[in-house]
Amino acid sequence: MAITTVPFRFSAATGLHRGDRAYQQDQVEVIPHPRTQGSVMAIVADGMGGKSGGRKAADQVRLTARQIYERFAPLEDDAGEMLKQVVTESHLMIKLTAITSEEEPHSTLAAYHVSPNMECHVIHAGDSRVYHFRGAEMMRRTIDHSFVQRLIDEGKISEDAANTHPQSNLLTGCLGTHADPPIALWHIEKLEFGDSLIACSDGLWHYFTPKEIGAILHALPPREASEMLISKARQRARGGGDNLSLALARVDPLK
């Protein structure tokens, strides 16, 4: 398969904060492809299950993603299939970890992959999200695999009410459970200059409207935007914040 590549600058930043929790169970990474310039994958994993179980699960997601991406050939292989493989193999590895552990490790996953031709694939499992912005405008975001999202879909509560719902942390799908993981994949045929992508855990997105996130990503370079999002989330948590993580990237013309 021939791929026409477009010269572009891919600016990325990650952010990770323990919040007000005793342990850090999130993992985040932006991984440039080792052999193909312009091919990049970003992942966020929010681990759950005991003081060390959640961290083990998130570690498995990160390590599995790196191993699969190392074998991936961006100019030949299907990026969507590669991301599906990250979900299914991470799920299996977490379950194997649980056999040798007293905890019940689980993890969310939010990931995106940008190809050298500016094509983008997005996948997620759980309530960690990926947002796609064009300028300051949100084009699309992932839909959570959660109990409150089901209530929203059924028209029983509003999006605003979901944030303060007492069962807002209950997931209907993630990695490491007895059930097969959800495979929620979508595709952006071509990113445009000025587009931004952000993968983030619920410890971050919980405190922002999409309009606020878009305004920050549009106004600031990725590193400064990352710092501002974490700072504002910490202020708004008022001492009760979860672990929070983000992997943010912007596509600009090559100058």
Side-chain angles (χ1 to χ4, degrees):
M1 178 176 62
I3 294 181
T4 304
T5 60
V6 178
F8 64 91
R9 187 172 83 252
F10 189 86
S11 306
T14 60
L16 188 67
H17 198 289
R18 199 176 74 188
D20 298 293
R21 298 288 192 256
Y23 305 97
Q24 174 59 267
Q25 300 190 98
D26 283 10
Q27 280 283 17
V28 59
E29 192 163 14
V30 173
I31 312 168
H33 194 270
R35 298 177 301 279
T36 305
Q37 190 173 6
S39 181
V40 184
M41 179 168 66
I43 58 164
V44 162
D46 179 357
M48 299 157 277
K51 65 182 182 182
S52 63
R55 180 56 182 264
K56 287 177 185 174
D59 282 343
Q60 287 292 355
V61 174
R62 185 176 62 86
L63 293 170
T64 302
R66 287 190 72 91
Q67 289 165 1
I68 290 171
Y69 200 45
E70 172 71 33
R71 302 193 298 266
F72 176 66
L75 302 180
E76 301 165 19
D77 299 338
D78 185 305
E81 291 303 315
M82 180 271 295
L83 289 176
K84 288 179 186 179
Q85 191 181 0
V86 171
V87 169
T88 55
E89 290 198 17
S90 296
H91 174 70
L92 177 60
M93 292 306 297
I94 294 168
K95 289 184 76 171
L96 290 172
T97 300
I99 294 171
T100 60
S101 166
E102 294 180 6
E103 301 99 359
E104 291 188 15
H106 304 321
S107 183
T108 69
L109 169 68
Y112 56 86
H113 178 266
V114 178
S115 300
N117 62 346
M118 295 173 64
E119 184 182 24
C120 180
H121 290 81
V122 172
I123 204 162
H124 84 292
D127 63 355
S128 293
R129 293 179 177 178
V130 177
Y131 295 81
H132 171 215
F133 290 93
R134 182 149 291 157
E137 180 185 358
M138 186 180 79
M139 305 301 290
R140 190 173 179 181
R141 75 160 172 86
T142 52
I143 303 301
D144 305 334
H145 303 117
S146 66
F147 176 70
V148 291
Q149 184 62 52
R150 186 177 289 172
L151 295 180
I152 292 168
D153 295 343
E154 293 170 355
K156 294 179 179 176
I157 63 171
S158 67
E159 288 239 14
D160 288 342
N163 262 3
T164 54
H165 194 281
Q167 293 170 302
S168 62
N169 63 335
L170 290 182
L171 301 184
T172 56
C174 64
L175 308 182
T177 63
H178 295 296
D180 289 339
I183 303 285
L185 178 74
W186 47 270
H187 171 239
I188 304 164
E189 191 168 328
K190 192 167 189 179
L191 295 168
E192 295 185 5
F193 294 142
D195 279 13
S196 296
L197 297 156
I198 180 170
C200 55
S201 64
D202 64 326
L204 186 91
W205 64 252
H206 181 85
Y207 298 103
F208 298 95
T209 65
K211 189 172 182 180
E212 287 177 313
I213 297 174
I216 291 170
L217 299 194
H218 184 55
L220 297 171
R223 173 54 56 199
E224 286 86 341
S226 168
E227 290 168 355
M228 176 170 279
L229 286 166
I230 288 176
S231 175
K232 282 188 171 295
R234 295 293 302 128
Q235 290 170 14
R236 293 174 180 185
R238 297 180 182 276
D242 196 359
N243 297 163
L244 53 96
S245 54
L246 64 92
L248 140 64
R250 191 163 73 197
V251 176
D252 290 309
L254 193 62
K255 294 178 181 177

